Amino acid sequence: MADAATSWLRGALELAVAAALAESDRHGYALAQRIEQCGLGGLRGGALYPVLGRMEGAGLVESHWEAGEGGPGRKVYRLTGSGRARLGEDTVRWHEFTAAMGRLLDQTGKGQE
């Protein structure tokens, strides 16, 4: 199941990142922690940071550097107005997708009983 969940998260990572940033501004490690806390599995920086870069390039997030407390600074990400609008649109699409997948799986399961 963990492998399937990892694949599913990879496909929905931008949506998960946007949802976590809608709650509050976060640096990359805090984003990964929040996504994991939600039960979506662990997330490596090699998967997260390219998505953040694409989202920033598309104007969905913006970032700034914060000084670290006794350590190096860190880049903090914030969802933009465009990012919030996209999150709203993608949330509707996600619910449509999961409902359709649920119907398919329910129909398939009935045939195997």
Side-chain angles (χ1 to χ4, degrees), residues 6-76:
T6 300
S7 286
W8 297 335
L9 177 57
R10 202 173 308 126
L13 186 52
E14 187 174 311
L15 181 59
V17 166
L21 287 175
E23 295 174 338
S24 68
D25 299 356
R26 290 186 162 96
H27 57 85
Y29 181 71
L31 273 169
Q33 283 183 312
R34 178 64 181 133
I35 289 168
E36 187 170 2
Q37 286 172 349
C38 290
L40 297 173
L43 185 59
R44 295 178 186 252
L48 177 61
Y49 291 107
V51 169
L52 284 166
R54 285 192 299 275
M55 291 176 75
E56 192 166 17
L60 304 175
V61 301
E62 44 189 34
S63 65
H64 67 276
W65 284 94
E66 282 188 359
E69 295 179 22
R74 55 189 175 192
K75 200 171 192 181
V76 176

Side-chain angles (χ1 to χ4, degrees), residues 74-92:
R74 55 189 175 192
K75 200 171 192 181
V76 176
Y77 296 89
R78 183 182 80 76
L79 199 60
T80 64
S82 296
R84 288 184 187 282
R86 170 80 68 82
L87 174 59
E89 295 164 4
D90 287 352
T91 298
V92 170

